[in-house]
Amino acid sequence: CFRLLCSLLIPTLFLSGILCVCLVVLLWGIRLWIQQRKKQLSSAGGDGKRPLLVGFFHPYCNAGGGGERVLWCAIRTLQKKYRNITCVVYTGDRDATGEEIVEGAFRRFNIKLIHPVKFVFLEKRYLVEASLYPHFTLLGQSLGSVFLGWEALLKCVPDIYIDSMGYAFTLPLFKYLGGCRVGCYVHYPTISTDMLSVVRNQDTRFNNAAFITNSPFFSKFKLVYYYFFAFMYGFVGSCSDVIMVNSSWTLNHILSLWRAGACTSVVYPPCDVQTFLDIPLEVEKSTSEYSIVSVSQFRPEKDHPLQIRAFAKLLKEKRVGQQPTLKLILIGGCRNQQDEERVNNLKRLCEELGVGNDVVFRINIPFEELKRHLAEATVGLHTMWNEHFGIGVVECMAAGTVILAHNSGGPKLDIVVPYEGRITGFLADDEDNYAEAMAYILSLSPEKRLEIRENARRSVHRFSDQHFEDTFLLSVEPLFK
């Protein structure tokens, strides 16, 4: 039996060794071929020196969200600091020209780039669409990003590669095959320890279907799948030379999964706080009508039903005598038909709870109208559990609303925290707490609310464009040495 085992084991080990050597040789050959291709495609600048190519992997660079604001601020910051660089954006937005994308960034974010940007348009962006993978979505999108990254690498090999959208599985591709120095800006970990606990505790949430929570077998299977994916995610993430995260909450998860603390730092996203700080801050004149404003896209994780239920509870318990009129204004963007159907469901919920006339939906509104609503609002409302940062929370505080956010994630750890020992807002975590907190805020005197609003305004300078530029340059400096 021992001889038989040895006769099988030794050839197996020998064959495995040969395959490993062949794989290493193949990968080394691909790397040399890519480097040769890079030399052929590169050209020298006017001074005879070849500009340093800095590539940003951002397949949805024309989306107009907070992640895109980080992208354009990062590019503008590098253009200010380094002269002999060319910034390259890998994008799948083939329905717009490069000029239209840059113009859109200026129109939406008031960000004007100093030098032109080179765009590399990718044809296989559909490979990272969640709709392509009804099951094993995380794994499918991550593997799809590898193929999309390969397309990007073949079209343009940068000297420095920065994943600015959360596709960590592209990092080893550009580092080991492309020979690039690699960095990343993590807005939200693809998988987190919170997601593992949700499956482990069999909680039903928007990302954990009821049929899974009701089945011990499916729950255990999904947990094994999540642990495997978390291991792979940690492995590819640790390949990065520079890791930037957008909040303390994201930092804790990335440190736990990637275990690369020496090269990881918090770089708060740039919020356009000055635009909102320009709104005059005065003691409220009218006490006959109050508005509560929520600003967030109509996505399931934003938990708009919680806002409506808490508001309905507030009206039910507080509407006695000559109480001021209350309005809940839900402001947000609809990206597609699914979002529109979600809004219709929210309107039906309002009717069921008897608050249909008290809740106003404002969808895809112009920026000036958003500013007006925030300027007139008394309370800014946010209900997403474990929001990774919360740009909308910062904007509400800068505009002068009294913020009421979820007691988790970025709002809890970074934003709605005491500033110079003074209160800047309030936190809640369920329907009752939200209703009680709103009632308490509305019961305060206008002078007391003004004091809280002023504290909040002073605190948000930490999230300005200038602060982002300073911390971003400090973090990426190792990539340019």
Side-chain angles (χ1 to χ4, degrees), residues 101-343:
I101 293 173
V102 171
E103 174 59 29
F106 177 68
R107 189 176 64 253
R108 291 168 184 149
F109 308 120
N110 196 31
I111 296 174
K112 192 169 184 63
L113 301 180
I114 300 169
H115 304 295
V117 171
K118 177 181 177 182
F119 289 91
V120 174
F121 291 95
L122 306 175
E123 299 176 8
K124 296 182 175 60
R125 190 177 70 178
Y126 64 89
L127 292 174
V128 296
E129 298 276 354
S131 57
L132 191 64
Y133 311 99
H135 305 291
F136 300 100
T137 309
L138 295 180
L139 186 60
Q141 286 182 291
S142 298
L143 293 176
S145 73
V146 174
F147 288 100
L148 189 62
W150 176 250
E151 180 190 350
L153 187 59
L154 290 182
K155 289 185 173 180
C156 179
V157 185
D159 299 291
I160 296 171
Y161 171 80
I162 299 175
D163 164 42
S164 52
M165 207 175 168
Y167 293 105
F169 280 73
T170 62
L171 293 169
L173 188 70
F174 278 82
K175 182 170 185 175
Y176 297 118
L177 294 186
C180 311
R181 284 160 279 172
V182 301
C184 60
Y185 188 95
V186 184
H187 297 274
Y188 195 90
T190 305
I191 192 168
S192 67
T193 51
D194 291 321
M195 292 169 67
L196 292 170
S197 67
V198 165
V199 178
R200 191 187 303 112
N201 298 331
Q202 294 183 245
D203 291 339
T204 302
R205 290 186 181 269
F206 71 91
N207 57 352
N208 197 39
F211 82 90
I212 292 177
T213 62
N214 294 332
S215 168
F217 172 77
F218 282 124
S219 290
K220 285 185 173 60
F221 180 79
K222 186 170 183 177
L223 192 60
V224 171
Y225 160 57
Y226 267 18
Y227 272 113
F228 168 74
F229 184 83
F231 170 78
M232 293 299 298
Y233 182 61
F235 173 75
V236 298
S238 63
C239 296
S240 190
D241 301 308
V242 166
I243 302 166
M244 294 166 282
V245 298
N246 66 344
S247 69
S248 299
W249 181 86
T250 307
L251 174 69
N252 293 335
H253 287 284
I254 290 299
L255 289 179
S256 172
L257 293 165
W258 292 13
R259 303 184 185 280
C263 58
T264 306
S265 58
V266 176
V267 178
Y268 291 129
C271 304
D272 191 13
V273 295
Q274 192 56 52
T275 299
F276 294 97
L277 289 172
D278 290 339
I279 297 173
L281 194 61
E282 301 171 350
V283 178
E284 303 154 32
K285 296 175 183 177
S286 171
T287 56
S288 61
E289 180 174 331
Y290 293 128
S291 64
I292 300 167
V293 171
S294 163
V295 182
S296 60
Q297 286 186 318
F298 289 101
R299 304 205 307 260
E301 63 270 23
K302 298 300 182 180
D303 205 353
H304 288 90
L306 174 57
Q307 299 179 6
I308 295 169
R309 289 196 299 270
F311 179 70
K313 183 178 283 288
L314 173 70
L315 290 186
K316 182 179 179 181
E317 296 178 356
K318 299 299 175 183
R319 184 174 281 171
V320 289
Q322 296 297 316
Q323 291 289 333
T325 303
L326 291 177
K327 288 286 184 184
L328 174 61
I329 303 173
L330 302 181
I331 302 173
C334 278
R335 303 162 298 173
N336 48 41
Q337 189 174 351
Q338 285 181 318
D339 286 355
E340 291 172 6
E341 180 59 33
R342 200 167 287 119
V343 169

Side-chain angles (χ1 to χ4, degrees), residues 308 312 315 319 348-359:
I308 295 169
L315 290 186
R319 184 174 281 171
R348 282 192 284 271
L349 177 62
C350 292
E351 295 298 331
E352 290 171 11
L353 296 175
V355 293
N357 295 327
D358 304 297
V359 180

Side-chain angles (χ1 to χ4, degrees), residues 69-86:
R69 193 168 205 284
V70 171
L71 169 69
W72 301 118
C73 276
I75 290 175
R76 183 181 62 182
T77 301
L78 292 181
Q79 290 180 341
K80 284 183 186 177
K81 171 76 173 177
Y82 301 100
R83 291 188 176 182
N84 194 37
I85 68 166
T86 297

